Amino acid sequence: MSKLLRPARVLLLGPPGSGKGTQTARLQNKFDLCGISSGDILRQHINNGTEIGQMASSIIKTGKLVPDDVMIKIISAELALRNWLSPTKSWLLDGFPRTRVQAEKLDEAELRPADARLNFVVELKVPTAVILDRIANRLVHAQSGRVYNLTYNPPKVSGVDDFTGEPLTRRPDDDPDIFAKRIEEYERLTEPLVDYYKKADNVLWSVAGDTSDVIYAQLEKEVVKRFGDRV
Ligand code: AMP
């Protein structure tokens, strides 16, 4: 585990299936960096049958996005709970903000007042053909959010989670028709978001590759370059 010398407040952007979760996990293993995944938080709500979960479940199934005000509330509460609204803390967001409104609100209401605005926004660029192939082979352990790929990262025993032995499932929103809608939605919403972060000096950074390994090697190097590290 390496320690960052300067606080890193990171956002990972990328189309569904681009490996945001994988990159998050690898960064967390390498650096002392905790992360929040908005998709995982919503799936926890769904598993726990909360009011938010019931609402989110019907939306997620259709490939649409959960309303901005609901997402902002959930993530703001999470940031406060973890005591992350401080200029000295390092953390990583996966999947939020996902719209320009979410980005602006997060800045105005939470990050700017705490002098803790995002200082590294990573845009993952993976060809759509590669993503579609990955999704066709993706299985998840719903309770933990652990992701397997039948080609690159299969479970040790077919169909069950390596750690709990519980059955793996397909995400309902990985259905091909719904998935196509999610990619469309991502492209429509991401352009204004990327434009927003382009305005901030040296915050936006793009990385392209067909595999998580190719992308991760570049990402780790860039994190070290920007935030330093001490083994
Ligand atoms: P993910 O695991 O990041 O692909 O998220 C799964 C689903 O959760 C998305 O397709 C959305 O329906 C919903 N979701 C996750 N994050 C957000 C967000 N920031 N804003 C709106 N909806 C979200």
Side-chain angles (χ1 to χ4, degrees):
M1 169 89 65
S2 301
K3 205 164 167 46
L4 298 170
L5 298 178
R6 288 176 289 282
R9 295 178 295 276
V10 185
L11 166 64
L12 282 187
L13 287 175
S18 60
K20 296 188 295 289
T22 305
Q23 300 300 335
T24 301
R26 292 183 73 168
L27 284 176
Q28 286 181 322
N29 281 339
K30 172 74 186 173
F31 303 102
D32 53 340
L33 199 59
C34 288
I36 300 180
S37 151
S38 54
D40 283 353
I41 293 178
L42 289 173
R43 283 183 284 276
Q44 270 163 25
H45 275 282
I46 293 172
N47 286 337
N48 295 337
T50 67
E51 208 175 303
I52 287 176
Q54 285 169 19
M55 186 263 278
S57 164
S58 55
I59 296 175
I60 290 176
K61 271 191 209 136
T62 65
K64 296 221 176 78
L65 289 186
V66 173
D68 287 334
D69 55 336
V70 175
M71 291 311 302
I72 291 162
K73 235 190 229 162
I74 295 175
I75 302 295
S76 299
E78 200 70 29
L79 289 169
L81 188 76
R82 293 168 182 242
N83 219 0
W84 282 0
L85 291 167
S86 145
T88 60
K89 295 281 168 67
S90 288
W91 40 256
L92 187 151
L93 302 180
D94 159 8
F96 180 95
R98 202 132 153 172
T99 67
R100 175 112 175 202
V101 170
Q102 290 178 10
E104 288 173 351
K105 285 270 161 61
L106 179 73
D107 266 350
E108 281 159 25
E110 310 290 343
L111 302 185
R112 206 193 299 254
D115 194 17
R117 294 181 73 185
L118 291 164
N119 55 10
F120 188 36
V121 174
V122 178
E123 191 189 10
L124 303 179
K125 295 192 164 190
V126 180
T128 304
V130 172
I131 290 179
L132 290 176
D133 184 59
R134 262 186 214 170
I135 290 310
N137 288 301
R138 171 152 82 175
L139 287 175
V140 293
H141 177 238
Q143 286 79 3
S144 67
R146 270 188 290 280
V147 178
Y148 297 86
N149 182 287
L150 295 175
T151 315
Y152 312 108
N153 171 33
K156 290 190 182 114
V157 178
S158 170
V160 299
D161 179 49
D162 288 352
F163 296 90
T164 62
E166 290 166 348
L168 300 175
T169 53
R170 287 183 63 79
R171 276 173 52 165
D173 52 349
D174 279 352
D175 167 89
D177 288 345
I178 295 173
F179 194 75
K181 215 182 260 167
R182 289 169 64 203
I183 292 209
E184 247 175 59
E185 188 85 335
Y186 173 80
E187 285 168 357
R188 184 174 69 81
L189 292 170
T190 304
E191 208 179 301
L193 194 56
V194 165
D195 284 347
Y196 178 73
Y197 288 116
K198 258 187 203 152
K199 284 196 221 145
D201 195 25
N202 193 32
V203 163
L204 184 69
W205 181 76
S206 296
V207 56
D210 282 8
T211 69
S212 294
D213 285 349
V214 167
I215 289 187
Y216 182 72
Q218 299 174 72
L219 180 56
E220 187 182 304
K221 221 159 117 192
E222 188 67 19
V223 169
V224 171
K225 188 173 125 198
R226 287 174 179 247
F227 304 102
D229 84 324
R230 197 172 49 208
V231 178

